[in-house]
Amino acid sequence: MRRVALTLSALIATGLVLTACSGRSSPGPQAHTPTPTPQKVEGSQPVTQYWPLTGLKVPPGKTAGLHHPVLVVKMDNTVSSQPQVGLRQADMVVEELVEGGLTRLAVFYYSRVPRNVGPVRSMRASDIDVVSPVHASMVTSGAAPRTIARVKAAHIRFYGQFSKGMYRSALRAAPYNLFVHLRRTAAVAKRKRARTPPDYLAWGSAKDLPHGRKVTKIRAQFSAVHATVWVFRNGRYHNTDSNAPAHDQFLAANVLVLRVREGDAGYLDPAGNHVPVTLLKGSGKALLFHDGRVVAATWHKGKAPASRIKLTTKKGQELEVPAGRTWIELVPGHGGSVTFWKQRSHG
């Protein structure tokens, strides 16, 4: 856990005695405890803050903006969504299977809130386990009645198509024309009582990551009709089949693939397709891609929706994710696959 770093000498100088708790037996220089609210210790150096969705340091002067909840926008991820708007400014993205073998994105915003995001689509019951660990509020066009009932029962706040900030673009065809002025939604969310978000994953340092195998290309196959492809280039992972324009794509420091079970949501979409539900609880195989390498792991998540995803190595040791912006692929264990390889260099 890495959230607050204090200067010991400064604390001693002021005569303060502090006791800190940490989830690591020997925390590194960036280790921190899970207290994201802005803090200062009188007579000492300022407390260092870390963003809960990336593990990166909060720049000076930015802590005043931590009064809104994490906002998760449900974004369309088909060719009809082109061009996606606002993806580059997200802290984290989770890609989920939906009906017809396609995928939809749960796009997390906290450290930066862009003006425009979209196209905004409907949420799924799968989102409950995805957004609950950070007490997020959802921004969505809506959902099927039974999904709305489940989301409300999980005490998840959501902002639908008639909420402040939502608008229809005259340049797009429905249902791909719903967008959101996210800063307006964030302003409304600030007036609600927001819970302090904990870290989404256990963040750590890249130097503590197992060496792994060299990999430069990843293919996450969700179904017979959809795959997401990543290429490691210039220190980041680039989605080569992104529906966002080049200047607005999400550049990932980490790609985390979780093999998950899929269930049936119990209803059909308007086209007559069964609507799947991702069962993000229990445990399964995981692959963590960072800095052009892959580390095999196991993911664990308790039955409670708010429980955090934890990763362990083959030896059962906790695996921390290097701080940075992360794209999580929830690939079905049955019907999906993950392939990766090292590309040959040319020239």
Side-chain angles (χ1 to χ4, degrees):
M1 299 286 294
R2 310 182 318 117
R3 184 56 65 85
V4 179
L6 299 179
T7 304
L8 183 58
S9 60
L11 293 180
I12 294 174
T14 58
L16 297 177
V17 179
L18 299 180
T19 302
C21 298
S22 174
R24 299 174 60 183
S25 58
S26 57
Q30 293 184 337
H32 63 285
T33 57
T35 311
T37 51
Q39 300 182 55
K40 288 186 178 179
V41 180
E42 186 176 354
S44 74
Q45 292 183 0
V47 171
T48 302
Q49 299 292 112
Y50 294 84
W51 296 115
L53 300 180
T54 64
L56 298 172
K57 289 183 180 181
V58 178
K62 290 292 185 180
T63 55
L66 304 182
H67 302 306
H68 63 81
V70 174
L71 297 174
V72 179
V73 179
K74 287 310 301 288
M75 187 180 293
D76 191 86
N77 194 41
T78 66
V79 293
S80 299
S81 70
Q82 295 179 357
Q84 293 168 330
V85 177
L87 201 56
R88 192 181 188 92
Q89 293 177 280
D91 288 325
M92 188 178 75
V93 178
V94 178
E95 185 171 8
E96 318 161 5
L97 182 71
V98 293
E99 57 275 14
L102 303 174
T103 65
R104 194 156 291 178
L105 306 180
V107 188
F108 288 65
Y109 295 95
Y110 190 64
S111 68
R112 294 184 294 178
V113 180
R115 288 186 175 86
N116 293 311
V117 178
V120 180
R121 297 299 304 277
S122 57
M123 56 189 173
R124 298 290 184 272
S126 303
D127 296 314
I128 295 172
D129 285 323
V130 170
V131 309
S132 292
V134 287
H135 321 305
S137 296
M138 300 196 67
V139 179
T140 172
S141 63
R146 65 177 64 192
T147 297
I148 290 178
R150 292 179 65 178
V151 169
K152 287 182 175 179
H155 306 291
I156 296 172
R157 187 180 300 277
F158 66 91
Y159 298 90
Q161 61 177 320
F162 301 113
S163 299
K164 186 174 182 178
M166 293 287 198
Y167 69 98
R168 296 279 178 180
S169 170
L171 303 177
R172 306 279 186 110
Y176 310 101
N177 62 345
L178 182 63
F179 287 77
V180 60
H181 293 299
L182 197 58
R183 292 181 184 176
R184 295 182 186 177
T185 305
V188 173
K190 282 183 181 180
R191 295 199 292 268
K192 309 294 182 181
R193 190 165 186 172
R195 298 173 64 183
T196 300
D199 288 344
Y200 195 90
L201 297 166
W203 303 111
S205 172
K207 66 181 179 61
D208 297 324
L209 193 69
H211 188 63
R213 169 185 164 189
K214 192 166 185 179
V215 167
T216 55
K217 193 167 184 177
I218 312 160
R219 181 182 179 88
Q221 190 80 41
F222 281 81
S223 68
V225 300
H226 178 79
T228 300
V229 179
W230 296 90
V231 171
F232 182 73
R233 185 174 63 247
N234 298 326
R236 289 292 182 267
Y237 290 91
H238 300 255
N239 179 193
T240 61
D241 47 10
S242 175
N243 290 304
H247 69 275
D248 205 7
Q249 292 183 9
F250 185 92
L251 301 180
N254 308 298
V255 175
L256 176 60
V257 178
L258 308 181
R259 302 305 303 274
V260 296
R261 294 180 297 118
E262 297 288 340
D264 194 313
Y267 63 95
L268 305 179
D269 73 352
N273 297 307
H274 285 273
V275 177
V277 58
T278 298
L279 305 174
L280 189 58
K281 53 177 61 72
S283 62
K285 294 181 179 180
L287 294 167
L288 174 59
F289 297 88
H290 175 79
D291 197 27
R293 297 185 177 276
V294 60
V295 176
T298 300
W299 67 265
H300 313 264
K301 191 177 189 300
K303 293 182 179 180
S307 60
R308 189 175 70 179
I309 297 168
K310 298 180 181 179
L311 301 174
T312 57
T313 65
K314 292 181 179 179
K315 295 182 179 180
Q317 299 173 330
E318 181 182 15
L319 179 66
E320 293 181 330
V321 178
R325 300 165 74 233
T326 302
W327 185 294
I328 301 177
E329 304 280 26
L330 301 181
V331 179
H334 296 284
S337 64
V338 184
T339 53
F340 47 89
W341 60 97
K342 177 184 176 183
Q343 287 183 303
R344 293 182 178 179
S345 59
H346 298 280

